[in-house]
Amino acid sequence: MAAGLATWLPFARAAAVGWLPLAQQPLPPAPGVKASRGDEVLVVNVSGRRFETWKNTLDRYPDTLLGSSEKEFFYDADSGEYFFDRDPDMFRHVLNFYRTGRLHCPRQECIQAFDEELAFYGLVPELVGDCCLEEYRDRKKENAERLAEDEEAEQTGDGPALPAGSSLRQRLWRAFENPHTSTAALVFYYVTGFFIAVSVIANVVETIPCRSSARRSSREQPCGERFPQAFFCMDTACVLIFTGEYLLRLFAAPSRCRFLRSVMSLIDVVAILPYYIGLLVPKNDDVSGAFVTLRVFRVFRIFKFSRHSQGLRILGYTLKSCASELGFLLFSLTMAIIIFATVMFYAEKGTNKTNFTSIPAAFWYTIVTMTTLGYGDMVPSTIAGKIFGSICSLSGVLVIALPVPVIVSNFSRIYHQNQRADKRRAQQKVRLARIRLAKSGTTNAFLQYKQNGGLEDSGSGEEQAVCVRNRSAFEQQHHHLLHCLEKTTCYEFTDELTFSEALGAVSLGGRTSRSTSVSSQPTGPGSLLSSCCPRRAKRRAIRLANSTASVSRGSMQELDMLAGLHRSPAPQSRSSLNAKPHDSLDLNCDSRDFVAAIISIPTPPANTPDESQPSSPGGGGRASSTLRNSSLGTPCLFPETVKISSL
Amino acid sequence: MSGCSKRCKLGLVKFAQTIFKLITGTLSKDKIEDELEMTMVCHRPEGLEQLEAQTNFTKRELQVLYRGFKNECPSGVVNEDTFKQIYAQFFPHGDASMYAHYLFNAFDTTQTGSVKFEDFVTALSILLRGTVHEKLRWTFNLYDINKDGYINKEEMMDIVKAIYDMMGKYTYPVLKEDTPRQHVDVFFQKMDKNKDGIVTLDEFLESCQEDDNIMRSLQLFQNVM
């Protein structure tokens, strides 16, 4: 109501005249009133649509963009108006806020776009008026949920997201959580599923009566007692597998306490505990009764299937989220049962040989009637009893039918959410591929440009001019930037082909004297160049020695981890170790160590100091450093060379 | 007795109607009568020239005042609740409702229960641009709650209590129980010339004009606009 207050201020100050005669002390002097210029009309031009308003209107909220001096930044002196390059439809709502003091939320606009506009104009989302607040919050929450699902899906996606140095524990946990990441996990998944099924079936079959052999009397025995050994063996096997699985999960869990408290772990424990208790408890007759009861808990093994079935999980979530409705249903049923049971009891009290011996006895009748089961084991015989009985059955239908739609709608909402998540995961792959393509496009442009000799200082030749001319202003600046970076570090950008070749060469064991990349690229005059950063190079060499093992292991997956850093490293010592130094060294490279180049692929990016690579990786498949043949036709490039002396 | 039986009969009729509706399943019709009552009472002020002639404001000032007024009260009238709300926002620490109530009565010269723009502007004109005499008269009118032409101790007590209520609980030094009473006593000692327990308009005017503090303070709110 800041707008309102400003309007009423003169009135409030004037009304203070009423205090004057009562004042026992002299009142303070009034604050100096600067000459008010009188109200003027401002013109706000939002993307061509002109909005005009009083200056006072905007001044009502001085801590927003339009109310403060921040708007002067947008003032266009030529036209005398404030120009904003934003959405004019949204601005309408913003301006109405100044006029009425209430911020309304447009229903057909994207909530995030609205949020961005609010942030731009300096309005906090809490200013949304009461009429639109609830809807605004709901939509925002929905959006946030969806985005969180997206992120979660990305993180837990089955992309190769494991860090290279992940421990056995992490890999194990990941295998457990996402079985389709590796075949071993998948096999384990199906095996456990199979054994759960076997265990449950065994439990069931155990109780079927098997015809015993003709020796005995015609007394039938359940199969469990006929073949105790077989069933015991099967049970043992299942329990062993379950125990092993549980222990493995416990070991692999990132947070053991949390895992212990989770529902699935509890189910696991309950599934295998009866067996062990049975082992420990001696075959005593009094205790075995209790022991037999414990066997009931073996049926909980069926809940282990919820790890395998998404539908079961959804059902579980639904029930959990509808807990209040279920509670209400239960409560109202209980109330109705008690009422009707009492009524039926008293109605049937007179009859002799009646089934309604007590009110609790009448509970059974009421429940059976209200759920429209109607077993018929208890029937009223008096007329009053029959009347009340019919009312009871009618009301039962109503009471049970009421909470059911709520539960159903909850279930459908969760189910659709899951479907959406699956759909999004499938689309995510396509999206990521597209993004990768776009990214590689940029880098490829640069590489293309380089290959066509665009970086040459002495620019001459028709083709080169053509290639240069076809770049937009932005591309020019971007390429210049990349070039500067290459010069700063002593590395170069290159493409996947070169890199994978180099990689193949490295994994052969290190001594990459001659690589195939030599033949793939036109060789220039002498390929070996002296190192421009010798100290760093030496360090890298030592580290390399230590990580040779990892180098040889180097799977593409681990390389993927280092995505985002696209380095062009030292070239390998193709020609020989005693190559001539390349003459054109622009940088201050003093030392003339001739060292063989090695790729520092597995070394984590943190090792290499000059890290500030622009993020133009050629997609996820790139590694942190790539090999680069020294001669791509550009003599002024200085790839770094590293000596593998210590190897 | 007859009234009781009449009520019983009415009750029975209504009950029978409800049962009938229940059986036949008719929905209750929307109360259209209520909607008709909700039509807004809209008031428009007299012309700008007239107001300019009647008050001490210029046209521009009247325009600004009216724009603000119309924005806040689109119906053109202010009722007591709005007054109280406005004052509560200006003085959030204490309870400004009583003072707002007296103020409203002072503004509402015709005692209609609502303040129109003309009343509003007239009062503002007196308070901001009026002569000393007019201001003091207006203040006397404010203090005279029952508008009988005299201020007695109870009325003064109410006014002073209302003003102290606006201060709220958290004051320094702590507000004592009989501070208002003391204040009123001091006031009466000053104002009540003939010590008859009531203050008339002349006594009031005379006493105020003698007091330099009051005279000086009256000039304070001159340029509030």
Side-chain angles (χ1 to χ4, degrees), chain A residues 38-49:
Chain A
D39 220 354
E40 53 171 332
V41 173
L42 295 180
V43 180
V44 179
N45 183 349
V46 183
S47 301
R49 214 189 291 179

Side-chain angles (χ1 to χ4, degrees), chain B residues 16-32:
Chain B
Q17 272 181 343
T18 327
I19 296 285
F20 179 71
K21 274 203 207 135
L22 202 69
I23 295 172
T24 56
T26 51
L27 302 164
S28 58
K29 285 200 281 275
D30 289 328
K31 305 256 193 241
I32 1 175

Side-chain angles (χ1 to χ4, degrees), chain A residues 212-484:
Chain A
S212 58
S213 43
R215 273 184 278 126
R216 298 276 185 128
S217 54
S218 57
R219 187 174 68 104
E220 282 191 348
Q221 243 188 343
C223 282
E225 285 176 28
R226 181 121 187 271
F227 307 103
Q229 306 302 89
F231 281 105
F232 183 72
C233 287
M234 208 165 340
D235 205 21
T236 314
C238 295
V239 168
L240 277 176
I241 299 227
F242 296 152
T243 318
E245 182 204 351
Y246 181 69
L247 288 175
L248 274 179
R249 273 186 208 265
L250 191 61
F251 164 68
S255 155
R256 298 222 170 99
C257 293
R258 201 153 56 101
F259 174 73
L260 280 176
R261 284 189 303 219
S262 71
V263 174
M264 290 310 303
S265 118
L266 283 175
I267 292 179
D268 289 337
V269 168
V270 165
I272 58 181
L273 220 44
Y275 177 79
Y276 289 110
I277 297 183
L279 281 185
L280 298 173
V281 161
K283 288 271 182 229
N284 204 349
D285 264 339
D286 350 313
V287 189
S288 65
F291 166 64
V292 165
T293 328
L294 265 184
R295 288 172 125 203
V296 158
F297 285 102
R298 288 188 306 175
V299 81
F300 279 96
R301 287 181 198 161
I302 212 173
F303 282 119
K304 286 168 69 79
F305 266 130
S306 61
R307 274 214 188 91
H308 299 249
S309 150
Q310 208 184 34
L312 260 183
R313 273 204 299 270
I314 295 179
L315 198 58
Y317 287 150
T318 313
L319 291 178
K320 197 163 63 161
S321 68
C322 304
S324 62
E325 277 81 28
L326 286 175
F328 164 68
L329 170 63
L330 221 58
F331 175 68
S332 57
L333 265 181
T334 316
M335 252 180 29
I337 287 172
I338 295 179
I339 292 176
F340 279 108
T342 316
V343 165
M344 291 306 296
F345 171 70
Y346 283 113
E348 291 286 307
K349 203 161 182 313
T351 346
N352 47 357
K353 282 203 282 217
T354 182
N355 280 335
F356 295 82
T357 50
S358 66
I359 295 188
F363 279 171
W364 174 244
Y365 167 76
T366 321
I367 293 177
V368 166
T369 316
M370 280 185 89
T371 52
T372 69
L373 280 174
Y375 288 134
D377 52 349
M378 283 168 84
V379 224
S381 31
T382 59
I383 296 191
K386 287 187 179 155
I387 293 178
F388 286 120
S390 36
I391 299 179
C392 172
S393 64
L394 287 173
S395 64
V397 171
L398 275 176
V399 166
I400 294 185
L402 282 176
V404 168
V406 178
I407 299 176
V408 165
S409 81
N410 260 2
F411 179 80
S412 121
R413 179 175 62 87
I414 297 179
Y415 179 70
H416 282 305
Q417 247 178 21
N418 258 39
Q419 285 216 314
R420 239 193 6 232
D422 288 337
K423 209 177 9 171
R424 209 176 310 119
R425 232 170 288 156
Q427 290 174 350
Q428 195 81 313
K429 298 207 182 125
V430 179
R431 245 183 68 204
L432 278 178
R434 238 183 294 144
I435 292 174
R436 242 175 272 150
L437 212 57
K439 280 190 183 159
S440 69
T442 340
T443 330
N444 278 345
F446 183 53
L447 292 174
Q448 199 76 16
Y449 171 63
K450 271 203 308 188
Q451 278 182 6
N452 293 343
L455 287 180
E456 281 201 42
D457 292 336
S458 52
S460 62
E462 279 288 315
E463 339 74 69
Q464 198 208 21
V466 164
C467 141
V468 166
R469 226 182 296 130
N470 283 345
R471 294 187 303 163
S472 68
F474 173 76
E475 263 191 10
Q476 280 181 16
Q477 311 221 356
H478 188 210
H479 291 170
H480 174 249
L481 200 60
L482 293 176
H483 193 203
C484 291

Side-chain angles (χ1 to χ4, degrees), chain A residues 1 3-5 7-30 33 36-39 54 56 60 99, chain B residues 60 67-69 71-73 83 86-87 89-91 99 103 107 120 124 127-128 139 142-143 156 160 163 166 183 187 204 213-214 217-218 220-221 224:
Chain A
M1 256 278 270
L5 275 193
T7 320
W8 295 109
L9 186 60
F11 148 69
R13 295 184 68 194
V17 170
W19 305 337
L20 292 181
L22 288 170
Q24 291 173 332
Q25 296 167 349
L27 295 185
V33 177
S36 50
R37 280 172 305 163
D39 220 354
W54 294 109
N56 278 358
R60 283 185 195 155
R99 293 174 179 146
Chain B
R60 272 222 156 226
R67 277 209 300 270
F69 186 84
N71 214 16
E72 290 309 304
C73 313
F83 247 57
I86 293 166
Y87 249 73
Q89 292 198 306
F90 275 110
F91 302 99
Y99 190 68
L103 210 55
F107 266 73
F120 182 66
L124 272 190
L127 288 171
L128 298 178
T139 316
L142 172 69
Y143 292 165
M156 215 49 233
V160 169
I163 294 181
M166 277 201 297
H183 202 135
F187 176 79
F204 185 73
N213 269 345
I214 297 181
S217 314
L218 276 175
L220 274 182
F221 299 97
V224 173

